[in-house]
Amino acid sequence: MRKLIDVSSYNGKVDWEKAKAYGCQGAILKIIRKDLARDKQFNTNYAACNKNKIDWGVYNYSYATTAAKAKSDMKLVCDILDKIDKTHFVYGVWFDIEDKVQASLNKTKIAEIINAAQAVVESRGYKFGVYTGMSYYNEHIDRKLVKCQNWWIARYYRGDARMQIATDPNEKYKPTMANIAWQYTSKGRFPKIISNGNSGNFDLNVLYKEPIAKKVEENVKKPIKKKITYYPRYKGKSSSIVDALKSLSINPSKRNRKRIATLNGIKNYIGTAAQNTKLLNLLKRGKLIKSK
């Protein structure tokens, strides 16, 4: 279990060196704003995390009400990540869905939005997860429709009470669906003020394990099975493979017989009696694989 903070420009300038010294073991950084510009502190925050060897990830507070909007927003997120120093980028990309604009949609639409966002992020090679509040999850999320397996859930069981980062949350209040992380307070404090925003308060989280990456087998295209076609069945009485092939208007040349033999598992064909008999028997059964 690791203690993480999630941070945006609302937290102002953060002293990341002190944050680490006081027990911060990771961070999830807001990457873009509603107007799709970068969060005003994102560049400073990710660079400082890298400098202080603090593992980090990013989140996008989403206002998307369609799958198309979710896709375009997450493409932008990935475009930004592609071009920056990701030395300590560990915790992936989180899709924050909790706004009232999505709450007016049905569960199927919300699932489509999340799945669209996930498809973009994972296609770009990044881990994907969903952040939301416990009540929002219960009211608006249908897990049978959502593909995501990484969930970061907020539940402030102590309300607005301040909590020091060194104090562990009471696990009996942990949301059952929070398999990756639990945000347990928005009034988290460090022993001394380490930022000039949000009155020194931070969202505090416990991370139970790193987000699960997309399974490798899902990225590998399954080979297309080629349909096997056979020559027509030979119903004549000749014991000659050449005659049998001729009767079916099949090229009986040695070169073509060698090609057919190879396709049918007869190696090093030179036209021996045994090899020709095998070809003839397959042809009589209608099991001689056809050469293109």
Side-chain angles (χ1 to χ4, degrees), residues 60-76:
N60 171 35
Y61 185 104
S62 177
Y63 297 92
T65 55
T66 65
K69 173 63 172 170
K71 285 182 179 180
S72 63
D73 288 354
M74 300 316 285
K75 284 179 181 177
L76 174 59

Side-chain angles (χ1 to χ4, degrees), residues 131-174:
Y131 167 91
T132 193
M134 187 174 74
S135 60
Y136 201 95
Y137 177 99
N138 290 332
E139 292 177 26
H140 304 292
I141 304 294
D142 185 343
R143 280 294 294 273
K144 293 179 182 178
L145 302 177
V146 178
K147 297 177 181 178
C148 182
Q149 297 301 309
N150 299 316
W151 293 88
W152 170 23
I153 305 295
R155 184 189 186 187
Y156 305 156
Y157 70 99
R158 291 192 62 196
D160 288 332
R162 288 181 175 177
M163 296 182 68
Q164 284 291 323
I165 191 168
T167 302
D168 292 336
N170 189 331
E171 286 291 319
K172 76 176 184 178
Y173 294 104
K174 172 185 173 292

